[in-house]
């Protein structure tokens, strides 16, 4: 039996809160380890497991850390509502850099795809970057192509559209946070 989307979102929100607490406890906010990826996997759910060998994982994490640092430096605490059109384009480009890391042979981490990468970004920048998720895309009214398992084909291709849709909605509704919008769109009926 499928869970109610609101119940699912609340459960996942607890997992995100655990990850946020972990991020806050780190000496270096953007340093990554397998623990970060396990938190993201817990938040995203599904049946993917992080199975990258330790030897290669440590080396690959540096590329993800670099993008987190670049986002922090370029946007300096801004939220999505505050970005100019040019800054929004830059943000989309940086987010694409992260989803590209999940596909590049030198940086991809087994069990960690584009949707998971978006959760990593969102956890570090809750007011700036949305989670890329099938339900959120649906709630935003973004038309996507599905495979037989009802998973979005090439989900990373929709990240820019989602970021723009979130920004547009946040500009219309001044008292709404990005996390509240995430909940609203995630919990819409499929």
């Amino acid at each position: 039996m499928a869970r109610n989307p609101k119940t699912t979102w609340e459960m996942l929100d607890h997992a995100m809160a655990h990850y946020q607490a972990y991020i806050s406890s780190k000496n270096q906010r953007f340093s990554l380890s397998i623990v970060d990826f396990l938190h993201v996997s817990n938040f995203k759910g599904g049946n993917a497991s992080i199975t990258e060998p330790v030897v290669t994982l440590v080396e690959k994490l540096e590329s993800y850390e670099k993008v987190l640092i670049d986002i922090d430096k370029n946007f300096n605490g801004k939220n999505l509502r505050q970005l100019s059109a040019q800054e929004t384009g830059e943000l989309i480009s940086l987010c694409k850099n992260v989803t590209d890391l999940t596909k590049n042979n030198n940086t991809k981490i087994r069990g960690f795809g584009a949707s998971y990468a978006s959760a990593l970004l969102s956890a570090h920048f809750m007011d700036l970057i949305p989670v890329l998720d099938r339900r959120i895309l649906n709630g935003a009214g973004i038309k996507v192509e599905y495979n037989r398992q009802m998973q979005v084909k090439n989900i990373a291709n929709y990240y820019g559209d989602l970021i723009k849709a979130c920004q547009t909605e946040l500009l219309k509704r001044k008292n709404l946070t990005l996390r509240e919008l995430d909940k609203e769109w995630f919990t819409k009926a499929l």
Side-chain angles (χ1 to χ4, degrees), residues 15-16 18-45 50 57-58 61-62 64-65 68 109 111-112 115-125:
M16 180 62 92
H18 291 303
Y19 186 32
Q20 296 255 282
Y22 173 72
I23 291 170
S24 295
S25 74
K26 295 195 291 187
N27 289 332
Q28 294 180 313
R29 177 177 167 81
F30 302 117
S31 67
L32 299 174
S33 72
I34 187 63
V35 176
D36 291 273
F37 288 76
L38 295 174
H39 272 291
V40 168
S41 182
N42 184 42
F43 167 72
K44 283 302 292 171
I50 307 301
L57 178 66
V58 174
L61 292 178
E62 291 176 15
Y64 294 84
E65 291 171 353
L68 290 174
I109 296 170
F112 191 78
S115 184
Y116 284 66
S118 77
L120 177 77
L121 292 174
S122 182
H124 283 85
F125 304 100

Side-chain angles (χ1 to χ4, degrees), residues 121-170:
L121 292 174
S122 182
H124 283 85
F125 304 100
M126 290 292 288
D127 296 319
L128 182 65
I129 303 174
V131 176
L132 181 62
D133 183 270
R134 171 180 59 93
R135 287 184 179 197
I136 298 168
L137 288 167
N138 182 65
I142 296 171
K143 301 295 181 214
V144 299
E145 187 178 347
Y146 294 98
N147 64 20
R148 286 187 209 151
Q149 292 81 33
M150 290 308 292
Q151 297 299 315
V152 178
K153 286 184 177 182
N154 302 310
I155 195 166
N157 294 345
Y158 302 101
Y159 211 1
D161 294 337
L162 178 61
I163 290 169
K164 289 176 188 175
C166 287
Q167 185 180 48
T168 297
E169 194 65 22
L170 290 171

Side-chain angles (χ1 to χ4, degrees), residues 83-136:
L83 301 187
S84 67
Q86 179 180 341
E87 289 172 318
T88 302
E90 291 168 9
L91 177 65
I92 290 168
S93 179
L94 286 167
C95 290
K96 183 182 179 321
N97 288 350
V98 172
T99 59
D100 287 349
L101 291 174
T102 68
K103 298 179 225 169
N104 182 307
N105 284 335
N106 296 324
T107 55
K108 70 179 175 183
I109 296 170
R110 286 193 312 220
F112 191 78
S115 184
Y116 284 66
S118 77
L120 177 77
L121 292 174
S122 182
H124 283 85
F125 304 100
M126 290 292 288
D127 296 319
L128 182 65
I129 303 174
V131 176
L132 181 62
D133 183 270
R134 171 180 59 93
R135 287 184 179 197
I136 298 168

